Every structure is written in C-alpha cells, then in structure tokens.
Amino acid sequence: MGTILLTSLLFFFLLNMPIAFSLGAATTVTLVIQGQIPLTIVAQRMFASVDSFPLMAIPFFVLAGNLMGFGGISRRLINFATCLVGRMTGGLAVVTVATCMFFAAISGSSAATAAAIGTILIPAMVQYRYPLNFAAATVASSGELGVIIPPSIPMVLFGVLAGQSIGTMFIAGFLPGILIGASLMLTAYVISRIKGNKGTAGVSPGETWRSFKDAVLALLMPLIILGGIYGGVFTPTEAAVVAVFYGLVVGMFIYREIKLKDLKNILANSAVTTAIIMIIISNAATFGWLMTRERIPVQIAEAFLMITQDPLVFLLLVNLLLLFIGTIFETSAALILLTPLLFPIAVQLGVHPIHFGMIMIVNLAVGMVTPPLGINLFVTCNIARIRIEDMAGYLVPYLAVLIANIFIITYVPQITLWLPTVMGMFR
Amino acid sequence: MEPAEFYIKIMDKVNHLVTWMLAVMLGLMSLAIFAQVIYRYILEAPLPWSEELARYLMIWLVFLGAGLGVRAKALIGMEALVNILPRSVKSVSKELVLVFTVCFLMVVLYYGVRLTIMNAPQVSPAMQISMSWPYLAVPAGALLMIANVFVVALERWKGGSS
C-alpha cells in the first residue's frame, strides 16, 4: 500500500498538480485501490486536521503581520535600521538583513518578511547603485529569518505535530535567528566590500533617537507576544490575537495609516493566505494519517536505525534529507510528513525534542531560498522583475553561509537550548 | 463563447461575496478570542463558547479561502518537476491535472455532504449547535474549488496555450 501511496503522489507532483490536491488525491487513490476503508475518512480527516485551537495561531500571526506591514511598520523599521547600520560599507544590504530580523519578530512567515522588506528596499538599493540581483538575493535569503526568529508558523506546526510547547520553540528560536542574521550581515558586508557599495550618509544621534521612537511600538510587539506566552498569561494563539489588536491599534490610531475601508482587504487577504497554507496542512495531515496507518514511519525508522545508531551521523543524514526535501517541497507539507517519520528516531537517539524541531526548521527555511520551489525566490523575483537564474551568482555565497549555520546549529545544541534552559522552560 | 463569459461573470460575483464573508469570519474569530482573553484574565469569567466558535469559523475560512486560492492560481505545485516530462505529456499535463483535481474534489464534495448529513444529530459541546454547521464547510469549500477550477480552465482555453 505504501508503494501505491508514494507512487501516486509522485505522479501527481510530476503533473504539477497543486501540492494540496496531490496529497489528497494520492490518499484517495490508495484508499480506493485498497478498498477497506470508506472514503468518508478523507473528508473527515481533512476536517479534523484543521479543527485545532493551537493551529489558529496561524491566521492570527498572518493577520498581525499584514496589519503591521500595512500600517507603515516596515518603513519605520527600515528607517531605524538605516540610522543604526546604514553608514557601514554595504549599508543598505546590511540594513536589509537587520530589518528582516526586526520584521521576523512580528511576522511568522518568511515570504511575508521578504515581501514587506523587499518592496521598499530593493528599489532603494537600486537607487544607491547596488546591483539589482544582489539586492534581490539579499532580501530572499534574509527573508528566511521570518520563520526562525519568533513568532513562526512552522514552529506552531512543529509544536502541534510533535506535542512540544510552542512557547519553548519560540524562545529557542531567538539565538539561532541572531546567529543567522549576524552571519548574513557579515556576508552582505563582504560582498559590498568587493563590489564597492558605499554606505548611506551618516546621521546625527538625535535623528537616530527619533527613528527609534518612531519604531519603538513595532519593536515592543515581540515583547508582548513572548512575554505573554513566557509569563504563562497567554497561549500562543491568544498571544497572536493580542498581537492582532496591538497591530490594529498602532496602525489605525497611532500611525494612522490604516483606514477603516482598508480593513476588509487586509482581513480578506490574510484569510486567503491562511487558507492556502492550511489547505495544504489539511491534505498533508490526511496523507500523513494513511502513511502512519500503513506503518511507513516504523519501517523508515527501522531502516534508519540499521544505517546508524549514532546521533551525530543520524543528524547529518537528517540534514541532507531535509535540505533536499526542502528544495522541492512546501514547508508545512514537509513538516507534516517528516515530523512523524523522523521525530521518534531523534528522541530515541537522545536528541533533545526542541533542538530537533529547530534543526528541521532551519533546514526547511533554507529550502525557501533554493530553487526549484523556493517561495522567497518567487516573491523577490516578482518584486525585482528578474528570473531566479539572474540572481544565482549572488545567491550562492548566501546559501553557503546559511548551510554553514545549519551545521553549527545542529552540532552545537546549546545555541538552541541555552535560552529556554536559563529561562527555566524545561521544568 | 457567450455562456463561458457569463459563467465567469457569475463566479466573479460569487467570489466577491466570499471575499467579504472571509473578511467577516476572520474579524469575528479575532473578536471571539480577544473576548476570551479579556473574560479569562480581566473579568475572571471564562467564556464557554469563544474557542469553539473561532475554531468552526476557521474551518469555514480554510475551505472557502482555498476556493479563492484556486481562482487566484495561488495553490502551487512542483513547478520544476513538470519540465522533466516529455513534451507530449507536458502539453496535456494541465488538462490531466484538471481531470484529476475535479475527480478528487468531487470525492471531497460527495463524502463531505454525507458527513454533514451523518453528523446532523450530533451537537457541539459548547454552543449546542448541530455539527452539520462546521462539517458543511467541507462540501461548500469543495464546491467553490470545483467551480473556480473551471473558471481558471475556461480562461486558459479562451486565452490560448498559456
């Protein structure tokens, strides 16, 4: 049965059928051929897998991110980052990474981060005579911080799938996010040094202070989200809805950039974005249910454990597998299908559950910046009006740095586990 | 192709209406969970129905929203893989996808209706409404997705090869 399931999935993928429908259709075909379980189960599983309160953090984080983006937050964050690091060599490229780090602390999605920052900074960089392809590659690769610096939609999903605390995952994401952000800034600096891209004009401390005051309301948002979850006041879903109302109040009444008539579009766009992510979750979970029922995870676990019992070798194999899967697979679908396969083995080999979650997420995040299926590349190519091939030359150094980060995060678990440990999140 | 244009026009109206419904549903979800936070932590009188209401709204939002996602061609496939297919297969791949997608969604529609009818006597734990209401989202969404799959196909046939 497992063979039919996987072959039909591959068949639908080859035809370029939408990923959500491919997963659902492969499940249906297998059930029809098997002929034991009534097909009602397909509709039932699709329903049950999205009937979840923790997953409701997804629409709320999408909405909060859109409210902040529309409410003029991105521009204020960019101003602040420019005052801080703009005058360095490659100023605007470094600013791009820094702003993506700030924005990632509001948004849970990497595509949204790349879109919000890229729309403003790609034209700005071109104006300052940065190569267009360099600008696009910088935005695409730093956009991945969106899912690593909390909040993060994939972390919500991993928490639900592996039965781990979403709040702990969020806290654990901080240091890896800062590590990746810092190394991307360094890369942007080195490339700009070689290309001779100068920084922006220096600014006075007074101007920096003003830009900080202007951006402070945006910078406070992650504190509210994480403080609330950490203090045990909110569940992640409730924290996300508090972020929604915070973004609404800031955008409508303080920055005054969101008008009442804009609300319908912001809500509707957020709803469709949510639906596109969650219809994949719904179908992938149905597929995953049948996969588990056919005992495929157990067989794969046995095969894995035959190759190696060494956690370090196992993690190396996992990294290679996830990097490969990440390049061709959509992130939520990959998480839903691979978490039940890999998580039990990892725990059995003594890898910390939260650390393993982080490894999965940093790997799959790199998949968003690699062709053929890299959502960040689609977003930035769309903004810069170029093709993926055009920016390939600049993408390579960034990808090399991102992959180096994966290995550091994999083999130095303290980067992930130190902060949650000192915050007393492990009992 | 007069009927085709008429169909697309009707569907544009339907999709416009659904867009409004989605905006209202997401707004209501946010209000329900925000009220839950206020009632639990400030008024210390937890609301029994807020979580359930928001969950059922989200299910509707996902299935109807996916219908609009189909219209916007926002549900992505494995773009790169199709390029390794032989030219002859590639040229008909879109029509094959159309057939398979509609077949799959018909299954979801048919069994979604059965599920809705089957669950009619069940009552939700908190709000005490018939479980048909949340389950109805599955066939309703499948129907909208099928309808929009045809809108996209009609536009493709009208516009030539691309």
Side-chain angles (χ1 to χ4, degrees):
Chain A
M1 269 320 116
T3 329
I4 302 172
L5 190 63
L6 297 174
T7 319
S8 49
L9 182 67
L10 188 66
F11 172 74
F12 293 129
F13 277 167
L14 271 173
L15 289 176
N16 199 12
M17 185 159 160
I19 292 172
F21 299 151
S22 300
L23 289 158
T27 314
T28 311
V29 167
T30 312
L31 286 173
V32 168
I33 293 176
Q34 197 180 35
Q36 288 171 359
I37 310 166
L39 284 179
T40 325
I41 197 77
V42 176
Q44 212 280 325
R45 295 307 317 173
M46 284 177 72
F47 174 92
S49 50
V50 291
D51 184 16
S52 148
F53 186 65
L55 286 184
M56 207 187 291
I58 296 174
F60 292 149
F61 278 132
V62 169
L63 177 58
N66 281 349
L67 282 168
M68 293 301 245
F70 200 94
I73 294 278
S74 356
R75 196 161 38 76
R76 287 173 172 84
L77 289 175
I78 290 168
N79 282 345
F80 178 52
T82 310
C83 287
L84 283 185
V85 291
R87 78 200 81 168
M88 292 170 59
T89 300
L92 282 180
V94 181
V95 165
T96 302
V97 184
T99 318
C100 281
M101 290 173 77
F102 291 145
F103 198 84
I106 295 166
S107 156
S109 131
S110 78
T113 306
I117 306 308
T119 335
I120 306 179
L121 272 172
I122 291 177
M125 284 170 84
V126 171
Q127 202 185 331
Y128 277 87
R129 294 170 183 274
Y130 286 75
L132 173 63
N133 297 330
F134 175 37
T138 309
V139 170
S141 32
S142 28
E144 79 145 50
L145 291 164
V147 296
I148 295 166
I149 295 181
S152 155
I153 290 171
M155 284 182 195
V156 171
L157 200 51
F158 175 81
V160 172
L161 288 166
Q164 297 300 313
S165 150
I166 296 167
T168 312
M169 276 304 288
F170 280 2
I171 301 290
F174 253 109
L175 290 183
I178 291 172
L179 175 74
I180 294 172
S183 51
L184 286 176
M185 282 189 203
L186 187 67
T187 317
Y189 172 81
V190 171
I191 297 177
S192 308
R193 192 77 194 242
I194 296 166
K195 291 278 154 187
N197 292 116
K198 300 245 169 355
T200 49
V203 288
S204 68
E207 223 168 304
T208 310
W209 173 243
R210 267 195 300 281
S211 76
F212 170 73
K213 273 203 306 192
D214 214 19
V216 74
L217 287 171
L219 298 169
L220 274 178
M221 184 143 141
L223 284 182
I224 298 172
I225 298 175
L226 294 171
I229 298 175
Y230 172 64
V233 184
F234 312 132
T235 62
T237 305
E238 289 170 344
V241 91
V242 170
V244 164
F245 281 86
Y246 181 78
L248 186 71
V249 168
V250 171
M252 277 187 92
F253 302 111
I254 300 177
Y255 294 159
R256 292 168 188 272
E257 296 203 16
I258 302 176
K259 302 277 172 288
L260 205 57
K261 64 173 166 39
D262 302 324
L263 269 187
K264 177 228 157 191
N265 278 337
I266 297 176
L267 283 166
N269 287 342
S270 309
V272 175
T273 306
T274 302
I276 291 166
I277 301 170
M278 291 192 64
I279 198 71
I280 295 178
I281 295 180
S282 165
N283 282 285
T286 309
F287 184 92
W289 164 81
L290 187 58
M291 204 168 64
T292 310
R293 201 177 175 282
E294 296 300 327
R295 297 178 51 80
I296 296 175
V298 181
Q299 290 165 18
I300 295 198
E302 278 166 4
F304 244 118
L305 292 173
M306 291 254 272
I307 306 172
T308 178
Q309 300 267 5
D310 181 351
L312 298 182
V313 180
F314 167 74
L315 288 181
L316 177 70
L317 294 176
V318 164
N319 278 326
L320 297 176
L321 175 74
L322 286 172
L323 273 174
F324 171 69
I325 297 280
T327 58
I328 55 167
F329 231 81
E330 196 276 335
T331 311
S332 346
L335 269 175
I336 292 178
L337 300 183
L338 292 178
T339 307
L341 295 184
L342 301 176
F343 184 73
I345 318 176
V347 173
Q348 198 182 330
L349 291 179
V351 182
H352 194 285
I354 297 290
H355 181 217
F356 190 71
M358 198 58 56
I359 293 173
M360 291 195 75
I361 285 166
V362 289
N363 266 293
L364 295 174
V366 171
M368 298 171 183
V369 202
T370 47
L373 190 84
I375 184 86
N376 290 11
L377 297 177
F378 298 155
V379 169
T380 38
C381 285
N382 210 0
I383 299 169
R385 300 187 183 288
I386 54 173
R387 289 172 311 159
I388 295 178
E389 301 89 282
D390 297 334
M391 62 162 128
Y394 287 103
L395 213 47
V396 170
Y398 281 124
L399 282 175
V401 168
L402 290 176
I403 291 171
N405 272 295
I406 290 181
F407 283 99
I408 297 171
I409 290 165
T410 303
Y411 288 113
V412 189
Q414 287 80 3
I415 297 171
T416 308
L417 298 176
W418 181 76
L419 198 55
T421 308
V422 297
M423 289 176 79
M425 300 194 82
F426 303 125
R427 255 156 291 157
Chain B
M1 280 277 252
E2 201 49 47
E5 266 159 39
F6 180 70
Y7 174 70
I8 294 177
K9 231 178 184 162
I10 294 281
M11 281 311 296
D12 281 346
K13 290 230 157 66
V14 172
N15 288 330
H16 185 73
L17 181 72
V18 174
T19 311
W20 266 104
M21 286 166 65
L22 289 177
V24 170
M25 287 191 288
L26 185 52
L28 283 179
M29 277 168 67
S30 312
L31 286 174
I33 300 304
F34 194 63
Q36 171 172 319
V37 174
I38 303 274
Y39 270 80
R40 175 151 7 129
Y41 299 113
I42 300 177
L43 307 178
E44 293 187 347
L47 290 176
W49 49 266
S50 55
E51 181 194 317
E52 195 180 274
L53 173 68
R55 258 193 294 121
Y56 293 166
L57 283 170
M58 177 169 74
I59 294 164
W60 273 92
L61 182 144
V62 170
F63 284 93
L64 289 184
L68 293 191
V70 169
R71 178 69 186 91
K73 294 184 228 164
L75 295 181
I76 44 169
M78 301 283 209
E79 308 281 345
L81 287 180
V82 76
N83 291 324
I84 63 175
L85 291 179
R87 198 173 274 269
S88 54
V89 184
K90 205 182 150 184
S91 60
V92 292
S93 69
K94 284 197 169 153
E95 311 309 331
L96 286 174
V97 167
L98 176 69
V99 173
F100 290 132
T101 304
V102 171
C103 286
F104 166 61
L105 290 172
M106 288 291 225
V107 169
V108 179
L109 173 61
Y110 176 75
Y111 288 98
V113 169
R114 288 192 50 169
L115 207 58
T116 308
I117 297 169
M118 250 163 56
N119 280 288
Q122 307 271 12
V123 185
S124 78
M127 292 187 294
Q128 301 284 312
I129 55 167
S130 163
M131 282 306 285
S132 288
W133 289 108
Y135 273 109
L136 188 61
V138 180
L143 190 64
L144 184 67
M145 285 184 247
I146 294 171
N148 276 328
V149 163
F150 282 113
V151 172
V152 173
L154 282 173
E155 282 192 337
R156 176 161 50 87
W157 292 330
K158 251 192 348 188
S161 58
S162 75

